[in-house]
Amino acid sequence: MKSGHTSVLYEESLKALCVRPQDVVLDATVGGAGHFRGLLSSLSNDGVLIGIDEDANAIERAREVVAEDRRSDRPVVHLMEDNFRNIGHVLERLGISHIDKALFDLGWSGFQLSDGKGFSFQADEPLLMTYGNPEVHGSAAELVNTMPEEELAKLIFIYGEERFARHIAKAICRARSTARILSTQDLVAAINAGVPAWYRTRRTHPATKTFQALRIAVNDELGALEEGLRGAIQHLGAGGRIAVITFHSIEDRIVKSIFRDAVAEGTGSVVNKKVITPSYEELKLNPRARSAKLRIFESNERDEPVSALPHELMYA
């Protein structure tokens, strides 16, 4: 399978952050390093760029981007192979007290579709679905082969928003009673057996939502998002901004809730009055961007003026 990555809402997120050359900037999700490259180019040697990703391959991609930047005034760059939920510990290890800007792109890189970890239901791969080391974090195979049927159905329904969650969970349990489900195609076969024939002929693959649910559960993505975003707000300097790109409603609800709590606590304000979504032109080039939403938060007590969000973004 061809690997690659197209950064979603690239221009919009960089404009929204209003990065200054001297800022301390955090890219909490290096991924395909597309946004990382843009953030790097916005900084001078007075600035600092911190890139975090649990995927060692993502960190290596970021290293390559840094190596390509031959400017004499290139910023200081720290690349950390870690989960962004540990932002506080990462900053402490680096001796950095605050950040000025932070970006969370919660989509997963196109490179991960071809890294052999079982993220794609279109290939026959080991059923891992882990961003980091599966020996440390566990795997999707462990989950589908051990979780009780009722809990599995609940997981698929809540994290995947799958209407046939109970049927799929029952089919998975029936399949694993014969042989352990160890590959993506083993799981796809079980899912197909648990949904109606008409559901298998839709444009969206019937395994899409179940794979999403398992990926979220294996990596504790929602727990990590809550911890990481709260940690970023806690370390955000005066007048700093955080931009978050989400790709499904569960993530977006968490971001909205955390930003709302921060506003209620008097920490800052939400910049965009209406959620920012991809333009028609971007969707034509990258249909996978269709569910993306961008929200921006700004802390109070500015040290110096930060330019307002461009009018065309604020009311997009």
Side-chain angles (χ1 to χ4, degrees):
M1 181 180 298
K2 184 179 180 181
S3 64
H5 179 69
T6 302
S7 297
V8 174
L9 290 166
Y10 177 84
E11 296 291 343
E12 292 86 346
S13 57
L14 293 184
K15 286 181 181 179
L17 284 173
C18 299
V19 176
R20 299 166 298 187
Q22 72 275 19
D23 278 344
V24 177
V25 179
L26 170 69
D27 185 343
T29 49
V30 169
H35 289 105
F36 179 86
R37 185 187 297 273
L39 295 171
L40 177 67
S41 66
S42 301
L43 296 169
S44 71
N45 56 359
D46 293 322
V48 177
L49 177 58
I50 307 158
I52 300 178
D53 206 293
E54 201 168 15
D55 185 347
N57 292 328
I59 294 299
E60 184 57 35
R61 282 190 291 272
R63 284 199 183 97
E64 293 172 1
V65 169
V66 174
E68 293 170 4
D69 187 348
R70 304 300 178 88
R71 291 178 295 157
S72 59
D73 63 342
R74 192 178 70 187
V76 173
V77 178
H78 301 287
L79 295 173
M80 311 296 289
E81 187 179 331
D82 207 329
N83 191 302
F84 62 62
R85 75 191 313 157
N86 301 319
I87 281 173
H89 296 300
V90 167
L91 294 178
E92 183 178 358
R93 292 205 304 272
L94 295 174
I96 295 175
S97 61
H98 79 280
I99 54 177
D100 297 302
K101 307 292 163 56
L103 174 66
F104 290 74
D105 176 2
L106 303 181
W108 39 294
S109 165
F111 290 102
Q112 291 169 322
L113 287 173
S114 57
D115 68 359
K117 288 188 175 182
F119 287 107
S120 174
F121 43 73
Q122 297 177 345
D124 193 10
E125 301 172 345
L127 193 58
L128 302 175
M129 295 194 188
T130 52
Y131 297 132
N133 188 342
E135 294 182 3
V136 176
H137 303 284
S139 68
E142 292 177 24
L143 197 154
V144 299
N145 284 291
T146 60
M147 182 171 280
E149 180 181 327
E150 185 174 343
E151 292 182 26
L152 187 58
K154 185 177 180 181
L155 183 153
I156 296 171
F157 179 74
I158 294 176
Y159 290 171
E161 300 177 309
E162 171 58 70
R163 62 185 298 187
F164 291 109
R166 289 189 178 277
H167 300 279
I168 290 172
K170 184 180 292 295
I172 289 173
C173 291
R174 185 166 57 245
R176 76 188 188 192
S177 67
T178 303
R180 284 176 59 80
I181 300 172
L182 299 176
S183 74
T184 53
Q185 293 311 298
D186 291 342
L187 180 57
V188 168
I191 294 170
N192 281 332
V195 299
W198 65 265
Y199 199 64
R200 297 195 295 270
T201 61
R202 297 163 66 245
R203 186 171 67 173
T204 301
H205 195 287
T208 300
K209 295 182 177 181
T210 299
F211 269 62
Q212 171 184 294
L214 293 173
R215 189 198 77 231
I216 289 173
V218 169
N219 296 284
D220 188 23
E221 292 183 15
L222 304 185
L225 172 58
E226 183 165 355
E227 291 180 31
L229 193 50
R230 291 190 187 281
I233 292 174
Q234 181 181 351
H235 290 85
L236 192 62
R241 287 188 175 187
I242 298 174
V244 186
I245 303 172
T246 62
F247 286 83
H248 56 78
S249 59
I250 305 173
E251 294 173 339
D252 190 51
R253 285 196 296 269
I254 290 174
V255 174
K256 285 172 63 178
S257 176
I258 292 174
F259 282 177
R260 189 184 303 119
D261 290 347
V263 171
E265 293 164 3
T267 304
S269 58
V270 175
V271 174
N272 49 324
K273 307 301 181 183
K274 182 180 178 182
V275 67
I276 297 168
T277 57
S279 65
Y280 175 72
E281 290 73 19
E282 179 172 3
L283 291 177
K284 284 196 299 182
L285 296 173
N286 183 17
R288 289 181 180 175
R290 63 185 178 277
S291 59
K293 295 180 180 179
L294 172 63
R295 296 185 185 275
I296 306 104
F297 175 84
E298 181 177 279
S299 63
N300 288 333
E301 302 177 8
R302 298 176 179 173
D303 285 325
E304 59 182 272
V306 176
S307 58
L309 187 68
H311 186 276
E312 68 270 17
L313 294 185
M314 183 173 291
Y315 297 100

